[in-house]
Amino acid sequence: MQYTNRNTVVEIDKILGEKKQVLDHGFVCVVDYMGCDSDIANAARVSYGQGTKTVNQDEGLIRYLMRHHHTTPFEMCEIKLHLKMPIFIARQWMRHRTANINEISARYSIIKDEFYVPELDRMAMQSAINNQGSGEKLSDDIAQKCQNIIQENCLNAFESYDDLINKKLLARELSRTILPQNTYTEFFWKIDLHNLLHFLRLRADSHAQKEIQQFAFAILDIVKIWVPVVYQAFMDYRVKSENMSAIDLEVIKSCLNIDKVKDYIEQNKDSKKGDIKELITKLEKFIR
Amino acid sequence: MQYTNRNTVVEIDKILGEKKQVLDHGFVCVVDYMGCDSDIANAARVSYGQGTKTVNQDEGLIRYLMRHHHTTPFEMCEIKLHLKMPIFIARQWMRHRTANINEISARYSIIKDEFYVPELDRMAMQSAINNQGSGEKLSDDIAQKCQNIIQENCLNAFESYDDLINKKLLARELSRTILPQNTYTEFFWKIDLHNLLHFLRLRADSHAQKEIQQFAFAILDIVKIWVPVVYQAFMDYRVKSENMSAIDLEVIKSCLNIDKVKDYIEQNKDSKKGDIKELITKLEKFIR
Amino acid sequence: MQYTNRNTVVEIDKILGEKKQVLDHGFVCVVDYMGCDSDIANAARVSYGQGTKTVNQDEGLIRYLMRHHHTTPFEMCEIKLHLKMPIFIARQWMRHRTANINEISARYSIIKDEFYVPELDRMAMQSAINNQGSGEKLSDDIAQKCQNIIQENCLNAFESYDDLINKKLLARELSRTILPQNTYTEFFWKIDLHNLLHFLRLRADSHAQKEIQQFAFAILDIVKIWVPVVYQAFMDYRVKSENMSAIDLEVIKSCLNIDKVKDYIEQNKDSKKGDIKELITKLEKFIR
Amino acid sequence: MQYTNRNTVVEIDKILGEKKQVLDHGFVCVVDYMGCDSDIANAARVSYGQGTKTVNQDEGLIRYLMRHHHTTPFEMCEIKLHLKMPIFIARQWMRHRTANINEISARYSIIKDEFYVPELDRMAMQSAINNQGSGEKLSDDIAQKCQNIIQENCLNAFESYDDLINKKLLARELSRTILPQNTYTEFFWKIDLHNLLHFLRLRADSHAQKEIQQFAFAILDIVKIWVPVVYQAFMDYRVKSENMSAIDLEVIKSCLNIDKVKDYIEQNKDSKKGDIKELITKLEKFIR
């Protein structure tokens, strides 16, 4: 415990260094962070300079920024996580290029025999409708057989690895090549809040592989206690939003009860709330 | 004219090197390009590997990628433009960090006396509702006075610049500091198609400053002839789309004629078209 | 003052929020920071995993990383600065694309009449040898005249700006276009340590414009108290280093007293220090 | 074959689509390219604007840019490669974040049973001096045993994979998790020339893993025929250069025959060549 003049978020400070388990051997752990909700608002206020010191509540401002895709103020917060996950997940993870990474090196270190084995009720068939996803669950019997195959295969691979490294003395950089892709790896991952939210939107989504979703959900919980106002705006304006195409809007227009739309506009036309004003603008396009 | 084995887009090849005027002294000019519509589809197909050689029409695939924010295949096309614009616009422009830039240096070169003077009917008051935009037009009389002030000020600045450089022999890097921000600058700008579309969505938007919109529109015209299928998907699923928040969706739901929604779903439930299937999924959320 | 579990650097914590003046109206101010020397070493150690808990002193490790261009651990520290500088400097600054920025908007705010006027002994002729730099100093007399021209020009521009904004009611986004490029702007700038050092190497260099050097030097002072071990390694292996080309090495080889080289190698061949071992490798290429 | 107005490099155009084998099943293949040597020089010349149309030979200019780390003009060329390599190499590869990538998806596709088995004379012990490298070669006998272990292990893994996919019907995204890290993957990789050279400097280096070096060498051959002038400057000023630290320079100074240094300077002081002038500046520091 030390003193600091930096802005501090008590709730996130409390969990620094705590490893939250994800999957059978993985974890998510906050190592460090910089900034808080009000730092985002303050960064946005730089744009207004002097003479615009009107009362801008942080919350209203943050929600405005999120709604309008003013993304730079969200880049002003940073978080550093220690993550442990299977390699096949880490490979998807690292396709996001806007983060800083230090990963354990299998050229330098001997890799521990930890690998991911899906639980029985995770075992599912290839999806019939989603070419890249899981579909119907396998029967208990088949699921068990799959689990056994995975388990045995990986045990064998680690046994051979041990043999290559310790008896045959083969260099680590070559021995590791036979290890399976569900082997666990570890890395530090540092990213700004804007890019983190972008990552979470894609990876907490139902189309992402279940295993990466688990990690994304664990990080979402962290975001919620770190920057609660941002979290709520993100849920309202991103996660629970829908993008409606030109074609979608035409169909919705044809299904609207125009009188109800007009009533809503009439009743809310004097609202001072930004999101209501913007909604009215969207609705007006329907009744033109 | 040379032979090449590269994919070529005849229509864009024809306009290489042509300067299309924007504002009083600016221009947009295509210097080089790489890739075409089908290259995007082919990059996406890499993901499918062998065994998935089903007939995927390029157009359907590109529209699917755009709808689902599968952005990486769009990064596989690249364009290089030569641009000339006032410095205050170039400053907004270069805040987009994912492009490659070579700009004329005012430390190295003597700057030509070219500066942007808005036309009379561009002269407008500060917007009453948009803190960063223009509002009502100024009267002819006042507009003319504004134009005169701008014109005179800049002529004076360039006269002093000439004096500093040529008579006082002050170094160019110091002399240029007095030049106004409407002075024209030039640069090469190379960017991939995904990031270009992101840029265009923000800068062809009505909230952007009118002057940068002019440049964005000129580039949109180029995109249209370079990658026509991408252009159409971008218009349908980005430019003409609306993001509806959790709150917006609630209000729309309350205004819907549910019977019409059900009719639409019933009539289109066997559609093979991806966008219709996805629209039905969105509509089903309303009637639950 | 608050408690935190984060790593804290007392010396940098003390100066948070202090504006250090640079040029006539500019400043550099540390707003926030994340990480310290030992965090860099710890990030590097992630790569070694278990079984490599040998005693690696932080300093030796950091110097090794710097020497070998292992740059990712330096990305694990982050700093956020509040900067105020003339626009012509800010334009060079923002060409570095790996930082996060929130800048005051002249569309939103009325700009204060603050502009940079070089001091008399900064007034210099165009360099005869460096096409983009300043050379010989101007005589006192001419320097004074240059200063007057700059001063008057900018005062006039701000007067016209005031006229356009306050009397003619022209929108801010148009009025600002006549302001000179030495007008001061402000922004928040957040960057990781690796990219900061890269920036400093280029901008604290003697070829950079004097004015940007002043800012770079002020930031170097901050780096020195924030991460002193990194600072020293940076000075030894970057700032005070020379890159010797294949051609340079040939010439140096021809000028070496080979016996002295052999003596040095002989006397130091058992050194345990990494930099000496590496130097010997370089020297051995000369005597082959 | 088509006509184009774009700059074309005949030699690289000829090899478009040709797969050059690397390792047992991998390859490097040029898919597309943009730009050539002279485009780099032209991008640099944008900085000089009008009035500086002196005869700047492309070669001299390119070598100057390389020497002085003026990196942006090299970003103006782009190349797109189709690559096939083992996953453990692809993981190192993709840590370079400045490229565009489309990779085959093992969630979408069934993976072919192709995996990397090192040749006998590649089998080596862990290095005694380099914690992350290979050292002394293994005896023929042991090498053969290692190869057998690798071969058998991977065959077993692919057999189990086939079983999971085709008999147990387990989803592809789960079945693939047991495949070894030497399984081949394929991807499109698009990168600008500056970032490509940075990549090559690190990965064609003797400290990189042998397998990634093989790919780097294959790409160096491509660079040589694509942009021969850049290639030569890169070899002279990067690959064959040495960075000499403050400490190194002190030792070299103490070993120099100062008279020879003075002679060299005297004989070359009127040289018009940029690299000689710069070398003299470096040498003068030794004799001060």
Side-chain angles (χ1 to χ4, degrees):
Chain A
M1 269 295 196
Q2 299 190 65
Y3 285 112
T4 187
N5 285 313
R6 292 176 287 174
N7 278 346
T8 298
V9 179
V10 176
E11 294 306 309
I12 200 86
D13 223 284
K14 275 184 196 159
I15 62 165
L16 291 186
E18 280 181 20
K19 292 175 179 174
K20 182 171 172 183
Q21 195 186 329
V22 183
L23 304 183
D24 46 2
H25 301 289
F27 61 74
V28 169
C29 170
V30 186
V31 176
D32 207 347
Y33 70 95
M34 181 168 115
C36 60
D37 275 329
S38 68
D39 284 317
I40 294 159
N42 287 335
R45 285 192 187 106
V46 172
S47 305
Y48 310 160
Q50 65 166 34
T52 58
K53 299 228 173 74
T54 58
V55 185
N56 257 316
Q57 295 289 350
D58 282 2
E59 184 172 344
L61 180 51
I62 287 170
R63 292 178 70 84
Y64 172 89
L65 296 169
M66 182 71 76
R67 239 168 26 240
H68 289 260
H69 298 269
H70 291 189
T71 57
T72 55
F74 297 99
E75 296 176 10
M76 288 288 155
C77 291
E78 193 89 12
I79 195 160
K80 184 160 71 169
L81 303 172
H82 185 181
L83 301 166
K84 184 173 172 184
M85 64 182 65
I87 286 171
F88 70 94
I89 295 297
R91 291 194 71 215
Q92 295 173 341
W93 205 277
M94 293 184 190
R95 290 292 296 111
H96 294 260
R97 290 161 292 187
T98 47
N100 310 112
I101 296 179
N102 278 104
E103 188 183 1
I104 186 168
S105 163
R107 296 180 69 198
Y108 199 105
S109 304
I110 295 174
I111 298 302
K112 263 172 81 172
D113 57 337
E114 288 178 330
F115 48 87
Y116 168 63
V117 182
E119 297 188 352
L120 285 178
D121 71 349
R122 167 71 178 102
M123 298 292 182
M125 288 188 201
Q126 184 62 32
S127 167
I129 47 170
N130 177 351
N131 280 318
Q132 54 176 8
S134 301
E136 213 181 315
K137 281 194 187 174
L138 293 174
S139 70
D140 285 1
D141 178 43
I142 304 287
Q144 186 63 60
K145 282 181 185 158
C146 288
Q147 210 186 48
N148 292 349
I149 291 170
I150 290 172
Q151 184 88 31
E152 275 165 41
N153 234 279
C154 298
L155 284 173
N156 288 341
F158 271 96
E159 212 170 289
S160 299
Y161 175 69
D162 182 64
D163 189 11
L164 289 172
I165 293 257
N166 290 319
K167 300 213 195 79
K168 304 295 182 291
L169 303 175
L170 185 66
R172 292 189 282 269
E173 64 179 7
L174 291 173
S175 302
R176 55 93 177 244
T177 66
I178 62 166
L179 292 180
Q181 294 174 53
N182 57 9
T183 304
Y184 274 86
T185 186
E186 286 183 44
F187 56 97
F188 274 17
W189 191 59
K190 176 170 147 290
I191 192 167
D192 69 61
L193 180 56
H194 164 62
N195 282 293
L196 179 62
L197 294 177
H198 180 72
F199 173 90
L200 291 173
R201 196 182 181 192
L202 295 173
R203 300 307 180 179
D205 184 271
S206 63
H207 291 86
Q209 184 158 353
K210 287 267 182 314
E211 283 75 14
I212 204 167
Q213 285 183 44
Q214 298 303 311
F215 284 89
F217 293 149
I219 295 176
L220 264 179
D221 288 346
I222 291 166
V223 170
K224 191 176 184 174
I225 64 173
W226 175 31
V227 280
V229 175
V230 170
Y231 174 83
Q232 196 52 52
F234 175 66
M235 296 307 287
D236 290 346
Y237 300 127
R238 293 284 181 285
V239 176
K240 295 178 187 163
S241 77
E242 292 276 13
N243 194 48
M244 297 293 188
S245 73
I247 301 149
D248 297 349
L249 292 168
E250 270 313 297
V251 171
I252 286 172
K253 183 176 176 176
S254 76
C255 294
L256 280 173
N257 181 327
I258 295 299
D259 287 338
K260 286 193 184 172
V261 176
K262 286 180 178 168
D263 281 357
Y264 181 86
I265 293 173
E266 183 61 26
Q267 284 158 28
N268 293 278
K269 68 173 194 278
D270 300 324
S271 173
K272 301 271 182 240
K273 296 182 68 180
D275 52 352
I276 300 298
K277 287 196 277 186
E278 290 161 26
L279 171 54
I280 287 175
T281 306
K282 294 174 192 171
L283 292 175
E284 281 170 344
K285 291 182 191 165
F286 287 129
I287 60 176
R288 243 181 254 146
Chain B
M1 268 296 197
Q2 299 189 67
Y3 284 112
T4 187
N5 285 312
R6 293 176 287 174
N7 279 344
T8 299
V9 180
V10 176
E11 294 306 310
I12 200 84
D13 224 284
K14 275 184 200 160
I15 62 164
L16 291 187
E18 280 180 22
K19 292 176 180 173
K20 182 172 171 182
Q21 194 186 331
V22 183
L23 302 183
D24 45 2
H25 302 289
F27 62 72
V28 168
C29 170
V30 186
V31 176
D32 207 347
Y33 70 95
M34 181 169 116
C36 59
D37 275 329
S38 68
D39 284 317
I40 295 160
N42 287 336
R45 285 192 187 106
V46 172
S47 304
Y48 311 158
Q50 63 165 35
T52 57
K53 301 228 174 77
T54 57
V55 183
N56 259 314
Q57 295 287 351
D58 283 1
E59 184 172 344
L61 180 50
I62 287 171
R63 292 178 70 85
Y64 172 88
L65 296 169
M66 182 70 77
R67 240 171 22 243
H68 289 260
H69 297 269
H70 290 190
T71 56
T72 54
F74 297 100
E75 296 175 10
M76 288 289 156
C77 291
E78 193 89 12
I79 195 162
K80 185 160 70 167
L81 303 172
H82 185 182
L83 300 167
K84 183 173 172 185
M85 63 182 67
I87 286 172
F88 70 93
I89 295 298
R91 292 195 70 217
Q92 296 173 340
W93 204 279
M94 293 185 189
R95 290 292 295 112
H96 293 260
R97 289 161 293 186
T98 46
N100 310 113
I101 297 178
N102 278 104
E103 188 185 1
I104 185 169
S105 163
R107 296 181 70 200
Y108 199 103
S109 303
I110 294 175
I111 297 302
K112 260 171 84 173
D113 55 338
E114 289 179 329
F115 48 88
Y116 168 62
V117 181
E119 297 188 352
L120 284 179
D121 71 349
R122 167 70 180 101
M123 298 291 181
M125 288 189 204
Q126 183 63 31
S127 167
I129 47 171
N130 177 353
N131 280 316
Q132 53 177 8
S134 301
E136 212 181 315
K137 283 196 187 171
L138 292 175
S139 69
D140 286 0
D141 177 44
I142 304 287
Q144 186 62 60
K145 281 181 185 160
C146 288
Q147 211 188 47
N148 292 348
I149 290 171
I150 290 173
Q151 184 88 30
E152 275 165 42
N153 234 280
C154 298
L155 284 174
N156 288 342
F158 271 97
E159 210 169 293
S160 299
Y161 174 69
D162 182 64
D163 188 11
L164 289 172
I165 294 256
N166 290 320
K167 299 214 195 79
K168 304 294 182 292
L169 304 175
L170 185 66
R172 292 189 282 269
E173 64 179 6
L174 291 175
S175 302
R176 56 94 176 244
T177 66
I178 61 166
L179 292 179
Q181 295 174 51
N182 57 8
T183 304
Y184 273 87
T185 186
E186 286 184 44
F187 55 97
F188 273 19
W189 191 61
K190 175 170 148 290
I191 192 165
D192 70 60
L193 180 57
H194 164 62
N195 281 294
L196 178 62
L197 294 177
H198 180 72
F199 171 89
L200 291 174
R201 196 184 181 192
L202 295 174
R203 301 307 180 178
D205 185 89
S206 63
H207 291 85
Q209 184 158 352
K210 288 267 181 314
E211 282 76 13
I212 205 168
Q213 285 183 44
Q214 298 303 312
F215 284 89
F217 292 149
I219 296 177
L220 264 179
D221 287 346
I222 291 167
V223 171
K224 191 174 183 176
I225 62 172
W226 175 30
V227 281
V229 175
V230 170
Y231 174 83
Q232 195 54 50
F234 175 65
M235 295 308 285
D236 289 345
Y237 300 128
R238 292 284 181 285
V239 175
K240 295 179 186 163
S241 77
E242 291 276 11
N243 195 47
M244 297 291 187
S245 72
I247 301 148
D248 297 348
L249 292 167
E250 271 313 297
V251 171
I252 287 172
K253 182 176 177 175
S254 75
C255 295
L256 280 171
N257 182 327
I258 296 299
D259 286 340
K260 288 193 182 170
V261 175
K262 287 180 177 165
D263 281 358
Y264 181 87
I265 294 174
E266 184 59 29
Q267 285 158 25
N268 294 279
K269 68 172 195 276
D270 299 324
S271 172
K272 300 271 183 243
K273 295 183 67 180
D275 52 352
I276 301 297
K277 286 196 276 184
E278 291 161 27
L279 171 55
I280 286 175
T281 306
K282 293 174 194 172
L283 291 175
E284 281 170 343
K285 291 181 192 167
F286 286 129
I287 62 177
R288 246 181 251 144
Chain C
M1 270 295 196
Q2 298 190 68
Y3 285 113
T4 186
N5 285 312
R6 293 176 287 175
N7 279 345
T8 299
V9 179
V10 176
E11 295 305 310
I12 200 85
D13 224 283
K14 275 183 196 159
I15 60 164
L16 291 186
E18 280 180 21
K19 292 176 181 175
K20 182 172 171 181
Q21 195 187 330
V22 184
L23 303 184
D24 47 1
H25 302 289
F27 61 74
V28 169
C29 169
V30 186
V31 176
D32 207 347
Y33 70 96
M34 182 169 115
C36 59
D37 275 329
S38 68
D39 284 318
I40 294 160
N42 287 335
R45 285 192 186 104
V46 172
S47 304
Y48 311 159
Q50 65 166 34
T52 58
K53 299 231 173 74
T54 58
V55 184
N56 257 316
Q57 295 288 350
D58 282 2
E59 185 173 342
L61 180 50
I62 287 171
R63 292 178 70 84
Y64 172 89
L65 296 169
M66 182 71 76
R67 242 174 15 247
H68 289 260
H69 297 270
H70 290 189
T71 56
T72 54
F74 297 99
E75 296 176 10
M76 287 290 156
C77 290
E78 192 91 10
I79 196 161
K80 185 161 69 169
L81 303 172
H82 184 182
L83 301 165
K84 184 174 172 184
M85 64 183 65
I87 286 172
F88 69 94
I89 296 297
R91 293 194 68 215
Q92 295 174 338
W93 204 279
M94 294 184 187
R95 289 294 294 112
H96 292 261
R97 289 161 292 186
T98 47
N100 311 113
I101 296 179
N102 278 104
E103 187 184 1
I104 185 168
S105 163
R107 297 180 69 199
Y108 199 103
S109 303
I110 294 175
I111 298 304
K112 261 172 82 173
D113 55 339
E114 289 178 330
F115 48 87
Y116 168 63
V117 181
E119 296 188 353
L120 285 180
D121 71 350
R122 166 71 178 102
M123 296 293 180
M125 286 189 204
Q126 183 64 30
S127 167
I129 48 171
N130 178 351
N131 281 317
Q132 53 176 7
S134 301
E136 212 182 316
K137 282 195 187 173
L138 292 175
S139 69
D140 285 2
D141 177 45
I142 304 287
Q144 186 62 60
K145 280 182 186 159
C146 287
Q147 212 187 47
N148 291 350
I149 291 171
I150 291 173
Q151 185 87 30
E152 274 165 44
N153 232 278
C154 297
L155 284 175
N156 286 343
F158 272 96
E159 211 170 290
S160 298
Y161 175 69
D162 182 64
D163 187 12
L164 289 172
I165 295 256
N166 289 319
K167 299 212 196 82
K168 304 294 182 291
L169 302 176
L170 185 67
R172 293 189 281 269
E173 63 179 7
L174 291 174
S175 302
R176 53 96 175 242
T177 66
I178 61 165
L179 291 180
Q181 295 175 52
N182 57 6
T183 303
Y184 273 86
T185 185
E186 287 183 44
F187 55 97
F188 274 19
W189 191 60
K190 177 170 147 289
I191 191 166
D192 70 61
L193 180 56
H194 163 63
N195 281 295
L196 179 61
L197 294 177
H198 180 71
F199 172 90
L200 290 173
R201 197 183 180 191
L202 295 174
R203 300 309 180 177
D205 185 90
S206 63
H207 291 84
Q209 184 159 353
K210 288 266 181 316
E211 281 75 14
I212 205 167
Q213 284 184 44
Q214 298 303 312
F215 283 90
F217 293 148
I219 295 176
L220 264 179
D221 288 345
I222 291 166
V223 171
K224 190 175 185 175
I225 64 173
W226 176 30
V227 281
V229 175
V230 170
Y231 174 83
Q232 194 54 50
F234 176 65
M235 295 308 287
D236 290 345
Y237 300 128
R238 292 284 180 285
V239 175
K240 295 178 187 164
S241 77
E242 292 275 13
N243 195 48
M244 297 291 186
S245 73
I247 300 148
D248 297 348
L249 291 168
E250 271 312 298
V251 171
I252 286 172
K253 184 176 176 176
S254 75
C255 295
L256 279 172
N257 181 326
I258 295 299
D259 288 339
K260 287 193 183 171
V261 175
K262 287 180 177 166
D263 281 357
Y264 181 87
I265 294 174
E266 184 60 28
Q267 284 158 27
N268 293 279
K269 67 174 194 276
D270 300 324
S271 172
K272 300 270 183 243
K273 295 182 67 179
D275 50 354
I276 301 297
K277 287 197 277 186
E278 291 162 25
L279 171 53
I280 286 174
T281 306
K282 292 175 194 171
L283 292 175
E284 282 169 343
K285 291 182 192 165
F286 286 129
I287 61 176
R288 242 181 255 145
Chain D
M1 270 296 197
Q2 298 190 66
Y3 284 112
T4 186
N5 286 312
R6 292 176 287 174
N7 279 345
T8 298
V9 180
V10 176
E11 295 305 309
I12 201 84
D13 223 283
K14 277 184 196 158
I15 61 165
L16 290 187
E18 281 181 20
K19 292 176 181 174
K20 182 172 172 183
Q21 195 185 330
V22 184
L23 303 183
D24 46 0
H25 301 290
F27 61 73
V28 169
C29 169
V30 186
V31 177
D32 207 348
Y33 70 95
M34 182 170 113
C36 59
D37 276 327
S38 67
D39 284 318
I40 294 160
N42 287 336
R45 286 192 186 106
V46 172
S47 304
Y48 311 159
Q50 64 166 34
T52 59
K53 300 230 172 77
T54 58
V55 184
N56 258 315
Q57 295 288 350
D58 282 3
E59 184 171 345
L61 180 51
I62 287 171
R63 292 178 71 84
Y64 173 89
L65 296 169
M66 182 70 77
R67 248 179 6 253
H68 289 260
H69 297 270
H70 290 189
T71 56
T72 53
F74 298 99
E75 296 175 10
M76 287 290 155
C77 290
E78 193 90 12
I79 196 161
K80 184 161 72 168
L81 303 172
H82 184 183
L83 301 166
K84 183 173 172 184
M85 64 181 68
I87 286 172
F88 69 94
I89 295 297
R91 291 195 69 217
Q92 296 172 341
W93 204 280
M94 294 184 189
R95 290 292 295 109
H96 293 260
R97 291 161 292 186
T98 46
N100 310 113
I101 297 178
N102 278 104
E103 189 185 0
I104 184 168
S105 163
R107 297 180 69 198
Y108 200 105
S109 304
I110 294 175
I111 297 302
K112 262 171 83 172
D113 57 338
E114 288 178 330
F115 47 88
Y116 168 63
V117 182
E119 297 189 351
L120 285 179
D121 71 350
R122 168 70 179 101
M123 297 290 183
M125 287 190 203
Q126 183 63 31
S127 167
I129 46 169
N130 178 352
N131 280 316
Q132 53 176 10
S134 300
E136 213 181 316
K137 281 194 185 173
L138 292 174
S139 69
D140 285 2
D141 177 45
I142 304 287
Q144 185 63 61
K145 281 181 185 159
C146 287
Q147 211 186 48
N148 293 347
I149 292 171
I150 290 172
Q151 184 87 32
E152 275 165 42
N153 234 278
C154 297
L155 285 173
N156 287 342
F158 270 96
E159 211 170 289
S160 299
Y161 174 70
D162 181 64
D163 188 11
L164 289 172
I165 294 257
N166 290 319
K167 301 215 195 77
K168 303 295 182 290
L169 303 176
L170 184 66
R172 293 188 282 268
E173 62 179 7
L174 291 174
S175 303
R176 53 96 176 243
T177 67
I178 62 166
L179 292 180
Q181 294 173 54
N182 57 8
T183 304
Y184 273 87
T185 186
E186 285 183 45
F187 55 98
F188 273 18
W189 191 59
K190 176 170 146 290
I191 192 166
D192 69 61
L193 180 56
H194 163 63
N195 281 293
L196 179 61
L197 294 178
H198 180 73
F199 172 90
L200 291 174
R201 196 182 181 192
L202 295 173
R203 300 307 181 180
D205 184 90
S206 63
H207 291 85
Q209 184 158 352
K210 287 267 182 314
E211 282 75 12
I212 204 168
Q213 284 182 45
Q214 298 303 311
F215 284 90
F217 293 149
I219 295 177
L220 264 179
D221 288 345
I222 291 167
V223 171
K224 191 175 183 175
I225 62 173
W226 176 29
V227 280
V229 175
V230 169
Y231 174 83
Q232 196 53 52
F234 176 65
M235 295 309 285
D236 291 344
Y237 300 127
R238 292 283 180 286
V239 176
K240 296 178 186 163
S241 77
E242 291 276 10
N243 195 48
M244 297 292 185
S245 74
I247 300 149
D248 296 350
L249 292 169
E250 271 311 299
V251 171
I252 286 171
K253 183 177 177 173
S254 75
C255 296
L256 280 172
N257 182 326
I258 295 299
D259 287 340
K260 287 193 184 171
V261 175
K262 286 180 180 167
D263 281 357
Y264 181 87
I265 294 175
E266 184 59 29
Q267 285 158 25
N268 294 279
K269 67 174 196 277
D270 299 325
S271 171
K272 300 271 182 242
K273 294 182 68 180
D275 51 354
I276 300 298
K277 287 196 276 185
E278 290 162 26
L279 172 53
I280 287 175
T281 306
K282 292 175 193 171
L283 292 175
E284 282 170 343
K285 291 182 191 166
F286 285 129
I287 60 175
R288 243 180 253 147

